[in-house]
Amino acid sequence: MWNEPYLETCCRAALHRLVLVGGGGRPDGLKDGPCLERLQGMGLARLRADGRYELTEAGRERHAGEILKLRKAG
């Protein structure tokens, strides 16, 4: 059953960009800033002390399930 909050297309793209950028993170202040803030509010991303957003473990799982369409075993 679907029980996760809906991600707008722009926020799904921002989530995918966080995966692509890896450990370098995405700087604050870009066009996808509102989406990164929303992802942070959902626990899928976090703003580091250096002002860059990075993916959380929950973000990795959401990306795997929603973007890559991989399912958890179990």
Side-chain angles (χ1 to χ4, degrees):
M1 178 175 185
W2 187 262
N3 61 359
E4 296 174 328
Y6 176 75
L7 280 181
E8 297 288 338
T9 302
C10 56
C11 293
R12 288 170 43 97
L15 180 65
H16 187 62
R17 283 190 291 274
L18 280 176
V19 170
L20 294 176
V21 74
R26 291 208 30 95
D28 193 14
L30 299 176
K31 284 187 176 184
D32 62 356
C35 289
L36 293 170
E37 289 177 19
R38 181 167 187 235
L39 293 173
Q40 180 179 358
M42 297 171 71
L44 303 177
R46 70 177 142 250
L47 184 59
R48 302 186 313 212
D50 65 358
R52 298 178 81 84
Y53 285 91
E54 67 181 359
L55 207 55
T56 63
E57 187 56 38
R60 284 183 228 298
E61 291 175 13
R62 183 74 181 257
H63 181 266
E66 190 165 331
I67 311 299
L68 300 179
K69 307 288 187 197
L70 301 176
R71 295 182 183 251
K72 275 188 181 179

